[in-house]
Amino acid sequence: MSSVAASPYLRPKRVSGVVVPNQPSRGQRALGWVVANGMRGLTATLRYRVNGGRGPAKLPDQPVIFALWHNRLSLCMKVYESFVRPHCEHDHLAALISASKDGAFLATILQNFGVEPVRGSSSRRGAQALLELASWAERGYDLAVTPDGPRGPRYVVQEGVLALAQVTGLPIVPYSCRLGWKIRIKSWDGFQIPLPFSHCDMTFGELIHVPREATEAERAQLREQLRTVLLAGTYGD
């Protein structure tokens, strides 16, 4: 049995049947293509700057787990495509996306950016999704997780990202950004969409390692550490 499957934090509850994520409709696939290309055009107008001493070029030469707040998702594909891939040999990304109908639409957008969507959340397919993410990591993929998604509370780090780091042995890279001109959607996370020609200040935090033998108290401390770093990168947004 793999260490992932054996982990008590990923062991699924006994339920009848298999939880199948919602699949995108033809209309969602078509709209996802339109949105993805619109995002490429929009994000190409932004002015990017990396804060601090750690940038994409200083990432380790191994797969990592990128952690970012849910309301920063609109920029994550552009950042990975333009700033991370050119510096890494392991230039593929798998991202955890909700198994809901909204998640199905987001999955189509990610696929247009060459990102492998893995469907699941803390409430649906959580254990299966983390097993799938671990499998992609073994193939050399970077992983991306929104520690406060998909339902919140906003800016609260859930257990999943720590469990994933613990069982895979991959370091967590906290990523955040601050947009100048933007639109905030009235949603639980205050989802942010950049306006054309805005500036984007990006922060890549120091690596966070979660030991395989980490206790509950140590994981709680690491969750708070991750939250503090991510919040610092938002500058109080």
Side-chain angles (χ1 to χ4, degrees):
M1 180 181 295
S2 70
S3 60
V4 177
S7 171
Y9 313 110
L10 302 184
R11 192 173 297 143
K13 296 180 180 179
R14 292 184 178 274
V15 294
S16 59
V18 177
V19 179
V20 178
N22 285 277
Q23 297 302 308
S25 64
R26 289 184 180 180
Q28 284 180 317
R29 291 184 186 279
L31 184 58
W33 182 88
V34 172
V35 170
N37 283 278
M39 290 173 62
R40 277 198 175 95
L42 171 62
T43 54
T45 71
L46 304 184
R47 296 165 291 167
Y48 298 90
R49 180 175 61 188
V50 177
N51 293 322
R54 175 174 290 279
K58 294 187 178 181
L59 292 174
D61 188 22
Q62 70 172 102
V64 298
I65 302 169
F66 290 100
L68 66 154
W69 295 131
H70 194 271
N71 61 12
R72 263 68 177 175
L73 276 174
S74 64
L75 283 177
C76 67
M77 287 80 75
K78 167 66 177 180
V79 169
Y80 191 82
E81 186 176 65
S82 298
F83 295 95
V84 177
R85 275 182 175 151
H87 298 288
C88 299
E89 294 182 4
H90 48 93
D91 58 353
H92 300 289
L93 180 68
L96 182 63
I97 303 298
S98 170
S100 67
K101 292 181 179 179
D102 290 342
F105 176 55
L106 179 55
T108 66
I109 299 174
L110 291 177
Q111 287 171 327
N112 279 281
F113 281 91
V115 177
E116 184 67 35
V118 175
R119 309 293 304 284
S121 65
S122 58
S123 59
R124 294 190 63 195
R125 291 194 85 246
Q128 299 100 308
L130 288 177
L131 287 169
E132 291 173 25
L133 283 170
S135 176
W136 284 110
E138 290 174 355
R139 301 179 218 180
Y141 277 61
D142 289 321
L143 308 179
V145 177
T146 55
D148 61 341
R151 296 180 179 179
R154 178 170 57 182
Y155 299 158
V156 174
V157 175
Q158 305 295 335
E159 177 69 26
V161 63
L162 275 297
L164 181 62
Q166 186 172 11
V167 298
T168 61
L170 300 184
I172 299 172
V173 177
Y175 166 78
S176 192
C177 64
R178 182 178 184 275
L179 291 169
W181 304 323
K182 57 183 174 288
I183 296 172
R184 283 193 182 93
I185 296 177
K186 291 183 178 180
S187 58
W188 68 265
D189 61 344
F191 194 85
Q192 299 186 5
I193 300 175
L195 292 174
F197 306 105
S198 179
H199 67 263
C200 174
D201 291 330
M202 303 182 295
T203 301
F204 292 84
E206 295 294 331
L207 303 182
I208 295 177
H209 296 271
V210 183
R212 289 185 184 272
E213 67 280 4
T215 64
E216 184 175 347
E218 289 170 332
R219 290 196 309 276
Q221 183 178 10
L222 290 169
R223 281 201 305 274
E224 186 58 30
Q225 178 184 342
L226 175 58
R227 181 176 183 270
T228 298
V229 174
L230 288 175
L231 284 177
T234 67
Y235 300 107
D237 265 4

